[in-house]
Structure formats: C-alpha cells, structure tokens
Amino acid sequence: QSVLTQPPSESGTPGQTVTISCSGSNSNIGSETVNWYQQVPGTAPKLLIYNNNHRPSGVPDRFSGSKSGTSASLAISGLQSEDEADYYCATWDDRVNGRVFGGGTKLTVL
Amino acid sequence: EVQLVESGGGLIQPGRSLRLSCAASGFTFDDYAMHWVRQPPGKGLEWVSGISWDRRDTGYADSVRGRFTISRDNSRNSLYLQMNSLRSEDTAFYYCARNTIMDYWGRGTLVTVSS
C-alpha cells in the first residue's frame, strides 16, 4: 500500500490530453514538492517533472505538472504512442521521514 | 555526460549479505546527495536509502532500516549499499539515482534472494 495514491491505469488516443492524479496527505504532498518519473518497461525511470511543475531540459512541453493542496497531477497533451509507459509521482514524507513513491500508473495509448 | 553504473547484484541465499556499488561519472560527485531505489520485477518503485553529499545525513525506508547501510566514497566517485540479513522480499532491481530530485538514474542491478 503506497503512501501516495495513483490510478493503476489510464488510457487515451493519439492527440488527446490525459491527466494522471497523485493523492497524498499533509505530511507529504501538502508540505513538499512533487516530482514525476516516466518508465518505459525494461528501462530505468526518467525524471519528467520536478518541483511540482518544472521540466528538465529535453522533456517536451506536452508534459506539465501541477499541485493543489494534498494532490498533484501530471498532464500529457497531444498524446503520442511513445508516451506509453508507467508514470510515478514522488515526494518527501515527514511522517515516515523518507522519500515516497506512488504506486504507478500504466498509460496505454489506444 | 552523466553516467551511473550499478554493480554487485546476483543470486544470494536468504540471510546472507551483499554489497552493491554505483560508479558515477560526468559530474562532480561530491556536489550531490545520492539515493538507492528498488523495484521488484513487475512492481512499483520503492525508495530504499539516501545519503547527503558530505555523508553526514542518511535515511532509510522502514523495510530496510537496521539491515542495510548506505555509504559513499567521494574520492572514488562511488556509492554503496551494504545489504545484510537479506530476505526474499528484497528481490528487486536496485537503482542508484542522483540528487534530491533523482534527476539521473543508473540502469540498475538485479538482486535475487532465494534458496
């Protein structure tokens, strides 16, 4: 049972916008910044969004992050087949005194 | 180019010990905190441990505290994870990652704990 709650799966068609949610509490998302990672099966995770809404260089602006209260979201616009991957949110949790990940969301491009 | 290369994984019996290494290159290693993150095959990511740039601060997940020890040698640009009293539930790919935001990851090394 992950401290951060994500939907197990989401799907969309090419060109659509998909949003992945990440729900936490005051001890984590409510008081800390959120990062998002993309993992294509068989490869290492890749940083997609850091500090809630910042993109590392090289990440397309189709990817955007936001945070409100104890929840965060990752939006992917102009969905492409290459976006099919697992997505994880992560932050620090004061209660467990460590970093925590969401359970991951498998994105399928139909 | 930033590179992180893990090594030391393999098949190990329950109760035994194993030491993982992560060789870093392409950046000033002692400028950054470092982390270990693991992923059981087919499952999600779990933060294992982290260490500050100067080794003063370390942190562990409850699942490994007291059994695993993180360390680093800045003169060798290397990060380590000493894993003792291994259990079957420690079976996973182990990744090292750079920085608080984990902006770079290695390819991982697989640890299989089984008799």
Side-chain angles (χ1 to χ4, degrees):
Chain A
Q1 194 80 3
S2 302
V3 172
L4 306 179
T5 301
Q6 297 181 235
S9 63
E10 292 285 359
S11 63
T13 56
Q16 272 191 328
T17 295
V18 169
T19 301
I20 296 173
S21 63
C22 176
S23 177
S25 66
N26 288 327
S27 67
N28 43 67
I29 293 178
S31 55
E32 302 289 339
T33 58
V34 177
N35 305 317
W36 289 89
Y37 303 89
Q38 177 193 59
Q39 186 180 31
V40 175
T43 69
K46 168 190 169 184
L47 179 66
L48 207 57
I49 297 288
Y50 66 97
N51 294 352
N52 302 329
N53 54 17
H54 292 80
R55 282 186 309 276
S57 61
V59 173
D61 59 7
R62 303 187 296 104
F63 294 89
S64 62
S66 63
K67 190 187 98 165
S68 178
T70 59
S71 294
S73 294
L74 172 71
I76 309 172
S77 62
L79 199 62
Q80 300 179 5
S81 58
E82 66 208 51
D83 300 332
E84 193 161 282
D86 296 319
Y87 292 85
Y88 296 89
C89 58
T91 187
W92 176 269
D93 189 295
D94 292 329
R95 191 177 303 164
V96 304
N97 198 31
R99 303 207 69 81
V100 290
F101 285 91
T105 299
K106 182 177 181 62
L107 175 63
T108 301
V109 180
L110 302 170
Chain B
E1 178 194 4
V2 172
Q3 282 201 324
L4 298 169
V5 180
E6 302 91 342
S7 61
L11 175 63
I12 188 83
Q13 293 178 325
R16 302 291 294 269
S17 298
L18 202 61
R19 188 198 198 202
L20 303 184
S21 299
C22 170
S25 61
F27 65 100
T28 303
F29 184 66
D30 53 13
D31 277 351
Y32 294 91
M34 296 293 295
H35 297 270
W36 287 99
V37 176
R38 69 184 180 183
Q39 184 173 37
K43 297 192 176 181
L45 301 172
E46 179 190 18
W47 176 78
V48 173
S49 182
I51 186 169
S52 60
W53 67 273
D54 59 359
R55 301 177 298 177
R56 283 189 172 186
D57 296 314
T58 59
Y60 299 91
D62 287 344
S63 58
V64 307
R65 187 175 291 114
R67 299 188 299 124
F68 290 11
T69 302
I70 191 171
S71 63
R72 63 189 295 163
D73 185 340
N74 288 344
S75 69
R76 295 178 182 270
N77 292 341
S78 293
L79 175 73
Y80 305 101
L81 185 68
Q82 178 66 42
M83 304 186 295
N84 298 333
S85 303
L86 282 162
R87 306 167 180 169
S88 59
E89 54 263 39
D90 295 319
T91 293
F93 288 94
Y94 284 75
Y95 298 99
C96 63
R98 186 187 85 160
N99 208 355
T100 304
I101 61 174
M102 300 185 197
D103 54 357
Y104 286 91
W105 298 60
R107 293 186 174 185
T109 187
L110 178 61
V111 173
T112 303
V113 184
S114 174
S115 53

